[in-house]
Amino acid sequence: MKTSRGVGSGRWRSGRSFVVAAVAGCAVGLVGGGFRWCLLRADTLRVSLLEAVDGLGAAGRLIPVVLTAVGAAVACAIAQRVPHAAGSGIQHVEAVWRQEAEARIAWLLPAKFLGGLIAIGSGLVLGREGPIVHMGATIGSAAGRRGRLDPEDARMLHTALGGAGLAVAFTAPLGGLLFVCEEVTGTVRPRLVLLTLAGTVTAVVGSRLVVGDALVLPLSAVTAPPLWMLPVFLLSGVTAGALGAAYSTLVVRTLRVCDRLNRISLVARAALIGAGVGALMAFDPLLTGGGDQLSERLLAGGRLTGGGLTVAALVLCLAVRFVAGPLSYAAATPGGLFAPLLALGALWGTLTHALAAPVLPAGSASAAAFAVVGMAAVFTGVVRAPLTGAVLVVEMTGAGALLLPLLTACFAATVTADRLGSEPIYDTLRRRMSERA
């Protein structure tokens, strides 16, 4: 009888964990979907403002400079009041999984929501996924405590709901699951997988009630490139891996340089960085922000910096965003790295196609195909999660026909970045967080 009751009790605890994960997933979907909705409204407001001041001459160009500087300063001030609120937050989720840090609940969710909305909405080159992942993990931790789950299940729920947050950020449920297994934990545990699935499904359903179910970056029908093109995409992945390694290095070095500027307060430093980003915005809005609009135009063969898709325009935009991303991250506001990486990858892929087109047979592969592959490959070179990168991009664009080129390029990007001695960015950021604790 004792054995029977013990087994029954264990089954109830197991079932309760999945119920808690599903209910908490609904909350993640609503909070994450609300965050995305607010960012969309902020983007619309920012565009309207830029259009309104466009005819005011030099004085009008100062307005986005001031507003972005104020936004960065306010977001930084909010983040400084709550431990781990600054930055992406993904490194904190990973540290909690490894039991190197404790899950934070008090005030972290509102700080991430409000601070992230102000920072990203003001035009800093940051991604929405970092705050949503961190908010999802925070909701998971709170649900685990209120659901009276055992410590191991509570830790799993914290991680699983972080993956649900990524799924909500990009409407990518499989990407959220792979993110948990490949990036956060580096392992596949059946129970963790099931908890993640329970939370991710309900989270994506909840977010669709707020932001709809459209693809994040819709792509027109694209055909699979011929098999003989795979070596070309392999080489493209090699170059993307090198670019990703350089980007990771720049992120870390920018943070270290800013650390040495101890005579300037964090808020003042954020304001200076915001002013610089605002000046770029006054020149061309596509040079700033998370990058969704830029990626969408590249996938559609749109226009950049007032002109066509020339090599010079692509190089300019790539160079500016390559520097502006790490600089924005160093402002110590809530905000992630993923979305800007995807935009950088789309730029790199489009540039690669522009350079390779003269020697490729006509119609062998479109610029959009190279942009999609570049998104996943540069992401992989920085984060070092090839399956997550490939599946995430497929779910965002609907480009399932490009799965073979995507996997080929992500493999090459991973190997290249490893050979160059580049550490996965979140390993570096997690160690930096521990050293500064």
Side-chain angles (χ1 to χ4, degrees), residues 6 40 75 88 97 129 138 140 161 189 191 193 195 223-224 231 250 264 281 299 319 328-329 362 388 415:
L40 288 173
S88 168
W97 171 257
E129 77 295 325
T138 301
L161 270 295
R189 296 187 184 182
R191 186 168 181 77
V193 169
L195 284 171
T223 58
L250 185 58
I264 305 175
M281 188 190 308
L299 294 179
S328 295
Y329 194 80
T388 302
V415 173

Side-chain angles (χ1 to χ4, degrees), residues 137-236:
T138 301
I139 291 171
S141 181
R145 294 187 184 184
R146 290 185 176 275
R148 298 181 180 178
L149 302 185
D150 62 65
E152 181 64 13
D153 268 9
R155 186 168 64 98
M156 284 190 181
L157 193 62
H158 178 270
T159 302
L161 270 295
L166 185 73
V168 168
F170 297 119
T171 317
L174 284 178
L177 173 62
L178 286 172
F179 169 74
V180 167
C181 296
E182 186 180 30
E183 169 59 25
V184 179
T185 68
T187 185
V188 179
R189 296 187 184 182
R191 186 168 181 77
L192 177 62
V193 169
L194 292 175
L195 284 171
T196 305
L197 285 175
T200 297
V201 169
T202 57
V204 172
V205 170
S207 69
R208 286 181 174 180
L209 297 175
V210 182
V211 295
D213 58 358
L215 295 174
V216 173
L217 296 173
L219 179 67
S220 301
V222 60
T223 58
L227 291 178
W228 64 262
M229 283 283 294
L230 289 182
V232 177
F233 288 110
L234 185 74
L235 181 59
S236 175

Side-chain angles (χ1 to χ4, degrees), residues 47 62 64 143 185 208 319 359 361 417 432:
V47 170
L62 289 176
T185 68
R208 286 181 174 180
V359 299
R432 169 186 164 84

